[in-house]
Amino acid sequence: MDRRKFLQSGLVVAGGAMAARKGLAQAASMPLAGAISAEEIAQARFPRDFLWGAATSAYQVEGAWNAEGKGESIWDHWAHTPGRIKDGSTGDIACDQYHRFKEDVELLKRLNLKTYRFSISWPRVLPNGTGPLNLKGIDYYKRVTDALVEAGIRPFCTLYHWDLPQALEDRGGWPNRDLASYYADYAGLLAKHLGDRIAAWAPFNMPWSFLYNGYATGSNPPGRASIDDFLRAVHTLGLAQGLAYRSLKAASSKATVGSAYSYEPAYPKTESVADRDAAWRFHMLNNVFFLHASRHGDYPRAFAGEVPYEAMGFRSGDEKILKVPLDWVGVHYYLRLAISAASRAAQPAAGARNADPMAQFHVEPFNEGQRTDHGFEIWPRGLYDLLMQISRDYDHPIIEITETGGVFADAPGPDGQIHDERRIDFYRQHMAELARALRDGARVRAYHAWSLLDNFEWSDGFSARYGLTWVDFVTLKRTVKDSGLWYGRVAAAGRLGV
Ligand code: FCB
């Protein structure tokens, strides 16, 4: 998006900014902030062919971390290092979907869902990231996708949801430009073996954030803290996205390739030009960086200083690789943020050549809405703003909502059931905003709730439950929560008043 337009845009509302300044904490009994009226909810309708679904990712649900030839991933390595995961757990078993996928497909069917977003574990298929194929790994994904197709559920495949083969990290990880072509080979192999049953492919889950957390701050694996590594990794990703697009299409004529980016609507904290400008820069880096690259063949001019092409290792001709016409845009939405101009200028830290592009912002959560049990503010209106913004800025692309959801800790009651009313309310409000966006012209065709199951929530281990289904992590028994049953009714009826 053009900087000038963003600064003028009505979307960049100051109303949220006011609330952030007030810092209101609301009582639990108050309605959700930004709530849509009961009448509008009752009237909300969705197209008959709208795809209702749920999402998971390999490391978070599969388990079987070293079964049948699977190689180690950076998340296996990280979780096996003491002190990394809040509750000391690992994804070694997780939800054991590797052995229970049939039961999970049955669950999806029971909830009337028509799309399942899952990810493929790169080291399960190629234990070393390159080289010999693990046929047992490919067979597993054939069985999963066969079961989905047979149940009338569309398999939506994310190729990379953070579990890099450790062998490739040992060869330099994402800062190593060679990974772009290894990744493209992996993508081609998947399309060759699974392309008869999978048509929806998303190369990367939240690329900007996993690179930033993995290489710039080191809070996630591989745990490096180097801006120079981060910048090189960013460019490898841009190339990998472009090359994977081409290898997926070359190997499967029915492949459609989109994205699974996370968007945090960036509202300027005040109406000052400096804060509006900061919000624009944050949006361009954090939200649409790789979408911009695919459209324009370059990177947004939103860095502290010039775009650091040299530090990224950009070579002449790379612009042609970056540019690919993605078939649809995938959107995760969890929370909105208040952005202000940083009080501290972005300077290279000691020993680094480049400034951290994120240091130039001050980023704060808002406090106006209620919160999930994870502490995230609930702001359904952000989904509407986001869908309309993407529609406007990118010529009304087809959009898939790839994730939304929240942590609500409600546990089984004396009746053994999980009465998670707050999650129902959360989804109802978000879907009402979605209905409004559809009415106002956004071309959204799918909605994936995060998540089908309670699962291994990265550094939070099993302590953060996002599922429509309760998982007992001792017995691995699944119990559909009230929210799952409600979601199933919405999916069947195509309306919210159920
Ligand atoms: C997203 C991740 C997903 C899950 C949810 C809660 O950022 O893509 O794996 O952890 O957050």
Side-chain angles (χ1 to χ4, degrees):
M1 178 192 216
D2 173 81
R3 185 184 213 120
R4 197 162 44 86
K5 272 199 233 134
F6 188 91
L7 298 184
Q8 290 164 350
S9 154
L11 160 70
V12 190
V13 284
M18 290 276 299
R21 282 201 299 277
K22 279 191 276 172
L24 295 177
Q26 297 208 336
S29 59
M30 292 185 76
L32 292 179
I36 294 191
S37 71
E39 196 189 341
E40 198 168 330
I41 287 174
Q43 280 166 8
R45 293 284 181 280
F46 298 91
R48 288 195 84 74
D49 58 353
F50 191 82
L51 293 167
W52 295 103
T56 60
S57 86
Y59 187 69
Q60 294 177 278
V61 299
E62 280 179 5
W65 79 278
N66 61 356
E68 300 190 307
K70 177 180 167 294
E72 187 188 32
S73 78
I74 56 172
W75 267 96
D76 292 318
H77 197 81
W78 184 259
H80 289 157
T81 310
R84 296 296 196 196
I85 309 298
K86 198 165 144 187
D87 57 5
S89 61
T90 70
D92 289 4
I93 298 175
C95 304
D96 198 30
Q97 188 169 83
Y98 191 74
H99 298 109
R100 294 166 197 252
F101 71 87
K102 286 194 182 135
E103 190 182 340
D104 291 343
V105 172
E106 277 306 311
L107 266 178
L108 289 159
K109 206 169 147 187
R110 183 170 157 210
L111 302 189
N112 305 309
L113 302 187
K114 290 283 176 279
T115 173
Y116 180 47
R117 174 172 172 255
F118 66 103
S119 80
I120 289 185
S121 157
W122 187 348
R124 194 177 294 290
V125 171
L126 292 166
N128 293 314
T130 60
L133 185 68
N134 178 28
L135 275 177
K136 293 218 160 119
I138 284 285
D139 266 5
Y140 167 67
Y141 293 111
K142 280 191 176 162
R143 282 181 282 126
V144 170
T145 45
D146 277 347
L148 289 168
V149 172
E150 205 185 306
I153 299 163
R154 176 189 71 155
F156 172 126
C157 175
T158 309
L159 284 83
Y160 184 91
H161 201 123
W162 306 357
D163 44 357
L164 183 70
Q166 180 64 36
L168 291 184
E169 177 52 30
D170 295 343
R171 292 165 72 178
W174 287 110
N176 174 2
R177 183 183 168 107
D178 294 345
L179 260 71
S181 56
Y182 301 155
Y183 177 77
D185 292 347
Y186 160 64
L189 265 175
L190 294 187
K192 178 175 158 214
H193 290 277
L194 301 165
D196 53 343
R197 50 202 100 192
I198 302 176
W201 302 90
F204 291 104
N205 181 67
M206 299 173 62
W208 179 269
S209 79
F210 83 74
L211 292 177
Y212 193 75
N213 296 335
Y215 293 98
T217 68
S219 60
N220 275 355
R224 289 196 235 167
S226 154
I227 295 302
D228 293 337
D229 280 354
F230 167 67
L231 292 174
R232 280 198 302 277
V234 161
H235 186 45
T236 309
L237 245 280
L239 296 171
Q241 173 176 270
L243 292 173
Y245 174 95
R246 293 175 177 88
S247 51
L248 288 164
K249 295 263 178 179
S252 163
S253 58
K254 67 178 195 185
T256 67
V257 184
S259 63
Y261 306 142
S262 183
Y263 294 79
E264 286 159 343
Y267 299 84
K269 183 161 179 181
T270 73
E271 290 187 77
S272 74
V273 171
D275 284 359
R276 284 173 168 253
D277 196 55
W280 178 81
R281 284 183 279 115
F282 178 89
H283 174 70
M284 295 309 291
L285 295 178
N286 200 71
N287 293 342
V288 295
F289 191 86
F290 292 104
L291 181 57
H292 174 103
S294 73
R295 287 286 171 118
H296 303 285
D298 63 14
Y299 294 129
R301 298 168 66 91
F303 284 82
E306 290 302 308
V307 180
Y309 283 117
E310 204 190 316
M312 292 173 139
F314 202 97
R315 297 181 191 159
S316 128
D318 284 355
E319 61 282 0
K320 294 201 187 72
I321 302 176
L322 295 183
K323 202 167 171 183
V324 281
L326 294 178
D327 297 298
W328 39 271
V329 176
V331 172
H332 302 2
Y333 171 60
Y334 285 93
L335 77 167
R336 62 173 178 155
L337 293 171
I339 312 292
S340 46
S343 45
R344 179 169 66 87
Q347 298 293 344
R353 288 185 306 137
N354 294 285
D356 177 351
M358 301 300 276
Q360 59 187 331
F361 321 114
H362 185 64
V363 179
E364 290 164 81
F366 283 91
N367 283 320
E368 195 179 354
Q370 287 180 2
R371 289 165 183 272
T372 67
D373 292 340
H374 213 195
F376 284 8
E377 187 214 33
I378 302 173
W379 195 257
R381 166 69 196 234
L383 182 62
Y384 173 84
D385 288 348
L386 190 58
L387 295 172
M388 299 315 292
Q389 184 182 19
I390 293 168
S391 301
R392 212 173 36 231
D393 294 352
Y394 293 94
D395 316 322
H396 291 268
I398 295 170
I399 298 177
E400 300 234 354
I401 296 175
T402 34
E403 290 181 21
T404 63
V407 174
F408 298 97
D410 309 88
D415 58 356
Q417 300 306 304
I418 300 95
H419 304 300
D420 55 341
E421 278 302 316
R422 292 176 302 157
R423 183 175 280 104
I424 295 178
D425 208 20
F426 175 100
Y427 278 119
R428 196 190 277 126
Q429 293 287 333
H430 282 78
M431 290 171 186
E433 294 288 357
L434 162 62
R436 222 151 61 78
L438 285 168
R439 211 185 50 209
D440 291 349
R443 296 168 67 205
V444 185
R445 71 173 178 204
Y447 186 101
H448 298 87
W450 184 273
S451 174
L452 175 65
L453 303 165
D454 290 338
N455 59 45
F456 180 83
E457 179 49 32
W458 310 114
S459 303
D460 287 312
F462 295 114
S463 67
R465 291 181 179 267
Y466 273 95
L468 296 169
T469 305
W470 175 271
V471 177
D472 176 325
F473 290 108
V474 178
T475 62
L476 297 169
K477 180 168 178 267
R478 282 96 160 114
T479 309
V480 178
K481 300 178 187 177
D482 284 0
S483 58
L485 299 171
W486 174 85
Y487 191 57
R489 292 196 295 275
V490 171
R495 57 192 174 81
L496 297 177
V498 293

